[in-house]
Amino acid sequence: RFDAFIAEWYQWLCGHAEFERYFGNDRARLERAQSMQRVHWQTFFSGMLDVEYFRSRRHVGAVHARIELPNDIFIAGMSEVRNQIARELGALQPRSDDLEDMIAAIGKLLALETFLAIDELTRIQREKLEEASQAIIEMSTPVTPIWEGMLLLPLVGIMDSIRARDVMNKPLAKIAETRSRVFVLDIGGVAAMDTAVANQIIKISKATRLMGCETIVSGISPAVARTLVELGVAVDDVRTTATLQDAITIGLRLIGADSTSAARALA
């Protein structure tokens, strides 16, 4: 009854918007999917939980992630499969003495199938989110040469430990690439920071100094200054300024730029 079983399930799917979305009038795609379903359920009823079984079930999750199938419709579909199988077994004559045990066993296996697919789907979705998050971090930490020998990194928004690590890595790489002697870190757009982030900024200053580059932290707001003092962060070794303009002026002086150059840089 495989063919009738699969046809009944797709009849159920027809009542949902996902059927039109994924198949529409593409009869060939529908037939391919039904053919793959037949193989899938044949291996299901074989009960062989080997390496290939686990690989194929995780592949189901990967396919669903690729086509962006909602989790709820997948779980609903698996629930419908269980109901169909229970109806099929209940209709068998003569009635089996092990009917309830069979339905329970199939339910456990369906739960495993659901878990494997959803676990793989979730893993792929998480990787996509991490990639998107990393891309946002990359765009939000632009280390820019503003003068020969001087780099600028303006920070805006929320600073967490992940972004703070990126702020450490990118300037060091850029300093090594450009041989810059001054690095201006402007935190005027950062509303607040915790101890971990503040200490990371201290580490950035020390690390750049080891590379022969002076770090100037500009844009220290009253709120951030008060927080740093209350947290007891050691800032004695960090050169700070209230404004970005002051930091660039000091930076230009450190690299030996003349007053005309300074005026052009600040324009």
Side-chain angles (χ1 to χ4, degrees):
R1 289 211 16 102
F2 267 123
D3 292 337
F5 165 73
I6 293 170
E8 183 180 346
W9 188 84
Y10 275 93
Q11 187 62 39
W12 168 85
L13 186 61
C14 279
H16 297 77
E18 284 73 17
F19 183 87
E20 185 66 26
R21 175 183 172 186
Y22 297 116
F23 298 109
N25 296 321
D26 193 337
R27 185 69 185 176
R29 175 181 290 184
L30 176 60
E31 290 177 354
R32 284 197 304 271
Q34 290 175 329
S35 176
M36 293 170 64
Q37 285 271 328
R38 198 176 200 283
V39 174
H40 179 96
W41 292 114
Q42 283 175 333
T43 59
F44 173 87
F45 283 110
S46 73
M48 294 293 293
L49 304 185
D50 54 12
V51 173
E52 177 58 25
Y53 169 85
F54 282 89
R55 186 205 63 78
S56 65
R57 270 43 185 180
R58 288 194 173 277
H59 177 69
V60 170
V63 170
H64 289 164
R66 187 174 69 247
I67 66 175
E68 298 182 347
L69 181 77
N71 288 1
D72 57 352
I73 191 65
F74 174 72
I75 293 172
M78 295 299 282
S79 177
E80 176 60 21
V81 166
R82 186 184 187 282
N83 293 338
Q84 283 185 225
I85 294 174
R87 289 196 298 269
E88 290 284 345
L89 292 175
L92 291 176
Q93 294 298 331
R95 182 184 176 91
S96 171
D97 294 335
D98 298 329
L99 177 62
E100 297 302 322
D101 290 339
M102 283 193 289
I103 292 175
I106 288 171
K108 291 178 182 179
L109 193 51
L110 285 171
L112 175 61
E113 296 238 334
T114 303
F115 166 77
L116 291 172
I118 293 294
D119 186 58
E120 183 68 11
L121 189 152
T122 302
R123 183 189 67 79
I124 293 173
Q125 289 176 335
R126 184 170 59 250
E127 287 182 353
K128 289 180 178 179
L129 287 174
E130 289 173 353
E131 290 173 0
S133 177
Q134 184 60 38
I136 292 173
I137 290 175
E138 290 287 335
M139 291 187 293
S140 64
T141 53
V143 183
T144 307
I146 59 172
W147 198 258
E148 185 177 352
M150 183 161 56
L151 301 173
L152 168 66
L153 173 57
L155 295 179
V156 178
I158 298 173
M159 281 291 294
D160 55 19
S161 57
I162 296 176
R163 192 178 179 198
R165 284 196 299 271
D166 191 64
V167 170
M168 166 74 87
N169 297 331
K170 292 187 70 174
L172 294 181
K174 198 71 174 179
I175 290 169
E177 176 189 337
T178 61
R179 302 297 181 184
S180 295
R181 293 161 51 198
V182 175
F183 170 55
V184 178
L185 179 62
D186 182 58
I187 61 172
V190 178
M193 62 177 64
D194 58 19
T195 308
V197 174
N199 284 325
Q200 194 74 4
I201 290 177
I202 305 300
K203 291 178 182 178
I204 292 171
S205 178
K206 293 180 178 179
T208 58
R209 190 171 300 144
L210 288 174
M211 298 180 69
C213 181
E214 183 74 17
T215 292
I216 304 172
V217 181
S218 66
I220 302 289
S221 67
V224 170
R226 184 170 58 252
T227 300
L228 294 177
V229 172
E230 291 173 352
L231 293 175
V233 177
V235 295
D236 296 342
D237 297 331
V238 181
R239 190 190 291 262
T240 62
T241 64
T243 67
L244 176 59
Q245 181 173 347
D246 291 341
I248 293 177
T249 300
I250 294 172
L252 289 169
R253 189 183 310 128
L254 289 173
I255 62 176
D258 56 33
S259 57
T260 302
S261 299
R264 287 167 55 194
L266 294 172

